[in-house]
Every structure is written in C-alpha cells, then in structure tokens.
Amino acid sequence: MGEFELIEKYFGRAPRRAAVGVGDDCALLDVEPGMRLAVSSDLLVEGRHFLSTVAPERLGHKALAVNLSDLAACGAEPLAFTLAISMPRVDESFLAGFSRGMFALAESHGIELVGGDTTAGPLSICITVFGQVPPEQALLRSGARPGHDLWVSGRLGDARLALEVFRGTATLPGSAFEEVRRSMECPEPRVPLGIALRGLATSAIDLSDGLAGDLGHVMRLSGVGATVDYDAIPRSTVLAMQSAELQRECLLAGGDDYELLFTAPPSRRDAVLAAAAEAQVAVTCIGGIDAEDELRFVDGQGRPMDVAPRGFDHFA
C-alpha cells in the first residue's frame, strides 16, 4: 500500500465544517466573526510518550486527546485537526485501530481531520488542533492574582501509578491496574469545562507534566506564588492505598493527567461549581494564590510540608 492509498483508506473523509480538507496543499477553515483562532501541537514518540504495548485504538484516542486538552485549557471550542505520522512500515491492523480511536473522539467533539503528512520512520505522531475562542474570554496562564482560589478537575496521579506498574516499581491487582491504565491511555480532554469556565477562571493550564511543574508555569507567568493543601488533592481509592512516598510522586510530579488546573476569585466559587456541574466534571479547590513568589504545600491542618516539588522535563 502506498502513501496516498493509505491516507485515502484510513484518513480520507469528506469535509463537513472545513471549506477545504484532506487532499489539498492547505486546509481552509472559516472562523466566526469576533472569534480568535487557537492552535496547538503535541508530538508523541513511541517509548517516550507511549509504550509499544498500548492498543492502537487507545493510542489514536490519546494522540488527539492530549491536543484537545490544550484547547480546553484555553477555553477554546475545537474546530479541526491535522495529523502527521511516521511509521516503520504500513501496518493495516494498527492503522485501523488507531484511526478508529482517533475518529471516535473527534466525532464526540464535532471536529474533523483536515490534512497532515505520512512518512516512513520510527513510530511518532504529531497532531495540530485548531479552535476558536472570543478574544476577551480566552483562558491564559498569566491571569492568576493573590487571593484567588486554586482549583483542579477530576483526579490526579492514576496515569503515573499505571506507569510505575509497567516499570515494575509498583504492583496492583488486575481490576485496579485496568482502572489506572485507562487513565494513562485514554485521558478525557476537559473541553466542556474549559468552555464553561470562560468569564470565570482567571488562569488555566492542563496538567500534562505534573501538578508542581505546571502550577509553576502559572506562577511564573502570573508573577505570583501559591499554597496547596496536599490532603485536598483529589485521588482515586486505588492511589490512596499506596505508600505515602508513591502517592506524593504520582500526585505532584506524575504528569499525563490532562486535567485542568485553574484559578478564580473566591466570590465565584458557586459559579465555578455550577460550571463544573454543567460540564459534568468534578472540581476541587486545593489551595490559593499568594503574593510571595513561592510554592508551598501544607497538610489538611495547615501545617507546612517538606516537599521538593518538580515537574516532568524531557531533557532534565
């Protein structure tokens, strides 16, 4: 099977929303008046971002999900995406599962593939997503202010726990492993929540590199510090049964959660909870923003904790 036959069989679909989609030199997207285009790309490399044992359908889901998560963190409505993929060889079984998982998630968000590239090489996947957001309502990392609440969606740490099981440093019974493995391989991008938080959240970021590291990005761009109630960080029953040391690693430095971390004034707490209920996502207030440029962790009684927070860094 050649490159163009491959594209037509597994990725060629008639455009519905785009003016011009797959098959031309450029895709053409019509953006509504008064909206700003939001664009983000993520590269996934085998052995670095995903294991060779992952099911192709789940890999297709995750490849798109991690990009949609970036749009969610900006409060943007997804429009379309492109796919660039390199593969050692044409594996039709892999392509069938991969495209099925990718398109299932795309269709659930009402978006379509509008172009990209294929080539021979090590297995790696790069998706670029396009979205739209009203300029004055875009969620950025730079809007956190002293006194604001610090919120997080969903639960943290399960993806990292699954990775530790794969590494052989932790063990779980079958059902528990499948639960955390799904968190690692099939994250759910919080797009409805991001859109619902427009006009409420003052800053936001998606948790891809761990709570400590990603919160550090918000602090740096906003010029603030933060205090986190470690005991308030939401976690699964499976993770809560692990050692204190492993829990701390998974919750603060794990990454791959793809939940939203965001800030909002205390006066908007009821509105934040209502927005989360509308998006059908649980949210938890885990601390607040400080004027001092420092990240502090306290326990449920407010006592300081000796934590050396760090995030994931590909080149560290």
Side-chain angles (χ1 to χ4, degrees), residues 109-185:
H109 288 274
I111 62 174
E112 58 193 357
L113 178 67
V114 296
D117 192 23
T118 60
T119 187
L123 182 58
S124 60
I125 303 147
C126 182
I127 284 180
T128 298
V129 286
F130 305 90
Q132 62 182 9
V133 61
E136 70 281 1
Q137 294 185 26
L139 307 181
L140 304 175
R141 299 178 180 182
S142 54
R145 297 293 179 263
H148 287 183
D149 290 334
L150 182 64
W151 297 80
V152 69
S153 67
R155 304 180 309 199
L156 307 188
D158 279 358
R160 176 57 181 270
L161 179 56
L163 180 60
E164 294 305 319
V165 174
F166 277 115
R167 287 174 168 173
T169 62
T171 57
L172 292 174
S175 60
F177 175 56
E178 283 305 315
E179 178 182 335
V180 298
R181 181 178 184 177
R182 182 168 183 82
S183 296
M184 175 185 177
E185 297 178 345

Side-chain angles (χ1 to χ4, degrees), residues 76-97:
E77 172 196 359
L79 295 174
F81 66 102
T82 62
L83 166 69
I85 182 169
S86 69
M87 302 168 288
R89 65 187 184 283
V90 176
D91 182 337
E92 292 202 58
S93 176
F94 168 83
L95 286 166

Side-chain angles (χ1 to χ4, degrees), residues 2 4 6 16 32 39 68 71 84 86-87 90 94 103 111 120 130 138 149 156 181 211 227 236 246 276 286-287 298:
F4 301 106
L6 180 159
R16 293 174 297 174
E32 296 177 16
V39 182
L68 289 175
L71 291 184
S86 69
M87 302 168 288
V90 176
F94 168 83
F103 282 126
I111 62 174
F130 305 90
D149 290 334
L156 307 188
R181 181 178 184 177
L211 173 62
T227 298
S236 67
L246 181 56
I286 62 168
V298 298

